[in-house]
Amino acid sequence: MLNDARDEAAMMRTERTQLQTGGVAAEPSEAGAIDVFTIEETIEMALGASRGELQMSTLVDLQAQLRGHIALLREPARKAADQMWRGATRWHRHITRLDGIERQAEQELSPLPFGALIEVQLMARDCQWLLDGYKENWR
C-alpha cells in the first residue's frame, strides 16, 4: 500500500514538473535546480511515518532521501551564511544550526524502530528549516 502511494506521488510529481516546464521534464542535474515539491513530499512522508506500521526499510529509505535533500540545500544555506556579518547573532544561530544538521545527517540510523522514527522526523524538521530558508532566500 505504501509503495502504491509512493508510485502515485511520483507520477503526480512528474506530471506537475511537465506542466511547469511546458511538457519537458526538468533534469535534476541542472545548475540551481532544486525540486521543492519532491522535498516537501518527502518531509510530509517522514513526519507522517508514525501513522502506520513502523517498518525499518521505510525509515531507512526516508533517511536516505532526506540526506540527499539536505545535501542539496546545504550549499545555498552556506552561501547565505557567507553573506552575513560573522559577528552577528543571526549568523551564529544560522551556522550553528547548519553545522548541527550536517553532523546529524552523517549519523547512522538507530537500529530500534521507535528511535529510528524519531531520528527521521528530526531530520525532516531540519530539512524543512533548510527548505524554508531556501524558499525565502534566507530571509
Side-chain angles (χ1 to χ4, degrees):
M1 183 181 292
L2 185 58
N3 288 336
D4 292 340
R6 284 187 191 161
D7 292 342
E8 185 177 325
M11 288 188 318
M12 289 173 44
R13 188 170 49 251
T14 302
E15 290 172 7
R16 189 171 39 230
T17 302
Q18 287 177 344
L19 286 172
Q20 291 173 341
T21 60
V24 178
E27 291 295 319
S29 61
E30 290 178 8
I34 293 181
D35 188 355
V36 173
F37 296 114
T38 301
I39 296 172
E40 288 172 340
E41 288 174 354
T42 304
I43 291 168
E44 286 178 32
M45 286 179 17
L47 294 176
S50 63
R51 293 191 190 113
E53 219 176 288
L54 290 180
Q55 295 184 3
M56 283 300 292
S57 61
T58 302
L59 296 173
V60 169
D61 184 41
L62 286 169
Q63 182 200 33
Q65 290 177 40
L66 289 166
R67 277 183 175 170
H69 298 325
I70 288 170
L72 283 175
L73 294 167
R74 176 177 50 202
E75 185 178 334
R78 285 281 173 199
K79 286 181 181 177
D82 290 343
Q83 301 301 315
M84 296 177 191
W85 180 62
R86 293 188 180 247
T89 303
R90 181 174 172 242
W91 173 82
H92 187 270
R93 286 182 183 152
H94 182 91
I95 205 71
T96 301
R97 177 90 190 255
L98 188 54
D99 288 345
I101 289 170
E102 290 172 349
R103 273 193 308 277
Q104 191 62 34
E106 294 172 1
Q107 300 296 313
E108 292 295 321
L109 195 61
S110 172
L112 303 172
F114 187 69
L117 172 66
I118 298 300
E119 291 171 5
V120 165
Q121 288 181 338
L122 289 173
M123 189 179 285
R125 293 181 192 284
D126 288 340
C127 193
Q128 184 68 59
W129 180 80
L130 288 167
L131 184 61
D132 289 344
Y134 175 78
K135 289 192 306 189
E136 296 176 16
N137 201 20
W138 294 102
R139 300 157 180 81

